[in-house]
């Protein structure tokens, strides 16, 4: 084998090993960086620079303590909100924010987003196929409103279609006959498939009842 050919073989193997290593390390590294960013963001919610080093709360200046304190605060608030009296106080504060001019638009928008993902009225739990751009073209989306008559559209529903490789998406008002519910794919698998651009392999389960709830109630 000539030196030139030997170099090409070596370069080809080196390039192949590089991409193999990249496929292994990139998901791990991105996941680690994401977790580190989330940890640092939560930990820095407590302004450590404002805490004197000789005060009784100087322990809050250590890295990681703020993260634990914030998580404990969230758990305590969740626990207190389950009691009748404290829960009513939270409800009054909630109603106050929802009726305060300007603030209500920010507060209700953020609250609806959190409710859609982790609240009791989760919105992204009805994966569907929807026809938007053509008869033979289907988009993967999620029903967010099964009735949009408030917009003057009878027989329509609101479907959220996520974008691939992004956390954004678009909402479409489409006729109900152009929506096909997916009864053998979980909402989590459907979201992963859509966000990954169809790369993620998903396993279909046995068909189950997946009726559309009246999400306006």
């Amino acid at each position: 084998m000539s030196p030139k050919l030997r170099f090409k073989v070596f370069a080809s193997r080196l390039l192949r090993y590089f991409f193999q290593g990249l496929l292994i390390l990139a998901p791990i590294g991105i996941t680690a960086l994401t977790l580190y960013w989330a940890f640092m963001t939560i930990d820095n919610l407590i302004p450590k620079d404002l805490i004197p080093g000789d005060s009784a709360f100087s322990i809050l200046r250590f890295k990681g303590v703020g993260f634990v304190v914030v998580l404990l605060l969230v758990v305590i608030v969740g626990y207190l909100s389950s009691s009748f009296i404290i829960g009513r106080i939270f409800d009054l504060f909630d109603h106050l924010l929802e009726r305060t001019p300007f603030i209500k638009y920010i507060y209700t928008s953020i609250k609806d987003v959190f409710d859609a993902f982790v609240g009791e009225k989760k919105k992204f739990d009805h994966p569907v196929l929807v026809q938007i751009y053509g008869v033979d073209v289907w988009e993967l989306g999620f029903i967010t409103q099964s009735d949009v008559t408030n917009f003057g559209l009878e027989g329509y529903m609101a479907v959220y279609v996520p974008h691939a490789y992004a956390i954004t998406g678009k909402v479409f008002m489409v006729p109900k006959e152009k929506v096909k519910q997916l009864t053998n794919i979980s909402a989590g698998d459907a979201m992963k498939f859509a966000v990954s651009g169809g790369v993620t392999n998903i396993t279909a389960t046995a068909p189950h009842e997946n009726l559309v709830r009246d999400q306006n109630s």
Side-chain angles (χ1 to χ4, degrees), residues 146-165:
S146 59
D147 187 359
V148 291
T149 53
N150 292 335
F151 292 92
L153 297 173
E154 293 285 347
Y156 280 65
M157 59 175 54
V159 178
Y160 173 80
V161 178
H163 293 154
Y165 303 106

Side-chain angles (χ1 to χ4, degrees), residues 140-205:
L140 183 60
F142 299 86
I143 297 175
T144 54
Q145 296 288 340
S146 59
D147 187 359
V148 291
T149 53
N150 292 335
F151 292 92
L153 297 173
E154 293 285 347
Y156 280 65
M157 59 175 54
V159 178
Y160 173 80
V161 178
H163 293 154
Y165 303 106
I167 58 174
T168 58
K170 296 182 66 176
V171 177
F172 296 91
M173 308 293 189
V174 295
K176 294 183 178 181
E177 60 269 17
K178 291 190 175 183
V179 177
K180 180 188 299 185
Q181 295 195 55
L182 298 175
T183 59
N184 59 343
I185 297 176
S186 67
D189 286 342
M191 182 64 77
K192 287 191 296 183
F193 184 84
V195 174
S196 67
V199 175
T200 299
N201 292 324
I202 59 176
T203 302
T205 59

Side-chain angles (χ1 to χ4, degrees), residues 65-188:
V65 177
F67 179 83
V68 175
V69 170
V70 171
L71 291 187
L72 287 177
L73 178 62
V74 173
V75 173
I76 292 173
V77 171
Y79 171 75
L80 293 177
S81 65
S82 62
S83 66
F84 179 79
I85 298 178
I86 304 298
R88 300 290 78 75
I89 295 176
F90 285 149
D91 288 341
L92 289 175
F93 187 67
D94 178 76
H95 293 320
L96 176 63
L97 291 177
E98 289 182 346
R99 286 165 174 76
T100 304
F102 181 72
I103 294 179
K104 64 181 181 180
Y105 299 108
I106 302 175
Y107 176 72
T108 55
S109 298
I110 297 175
K111 181 182 176 183
D112 288 343
V113 170
F114 273 87
D115 285 341
F117 284 98
V118 298
E120 295 180 356
K121 298 179 180 180
K122 290 190 292 185
K123 300 293 184 180
F124 301 112
D125 56 353
H126 292 299
V128 296
L129 293 176
V130 54
Q131 288 182 340
I132 298 175
Y133 301 109
V135 177
D136 297 325
V137 179
W138 294 89
E139 294 273 348
L140 183 60
F142 299 86
I143 297 175
T144 54
Q145 296 288 340
S146 59
D147 187 359
V148 291
T149 53
N150 292 335
F151 292 92
L153 297 173
E154 293 285 347
Y156 280 65
M157 59 175 54
V159 178
Y160 173 80
V161 178
H163 293 154
Y165 303 106
I167 58 174
T168 58
K170 296 182 66 176
V171 177
F172 296 91
M173 308 293 189
V174 295
K176 294 183 178 181
E177 60 269 17
K178 291 190 175 183
V179 177
K180 180 188 299 185
Q181 295 195 55
L182 298 175
T183 59
N184 59 343
I185 297 176
S186 67

Side-chain angles (χ1 to χ4, degrees), residues 19-88:
F19 283 112
Q20 287 180 348
L22 187 65
L23 289 175
I24 295 174
L25 293 179
I28 297 175
I30 294 174
T31 301
L33 288 175
T34 302
L35 293 176
Y36 177 77
W37 172 84
F39 172 82
M40 293 301 297
T41 301
I42 296 175
D43 187 58
N44 292 328
L45 289 176
I46 297 179
K48 299 179 175 60
D49 295 337
L50 301 180
I51 302 175
D54 55 351
S55 69
F57 300 98
S58 60
I59 189 175
L60 295 175
R61 295 171 60 92
F62 291 97
K63 191 176 298 295
V65 177
F67 179 83
V68 175
V69 170
V70 171
L71 291 187
L72 287 177
L73 178 62
V74 173
V75 173
I76 292 173
V77 171
Y79 171 75
L80 293 177
S81 65
S82 62
S83 66
F84 179 79
I85 298 178
I86 304 298
R88 300 290 78 75

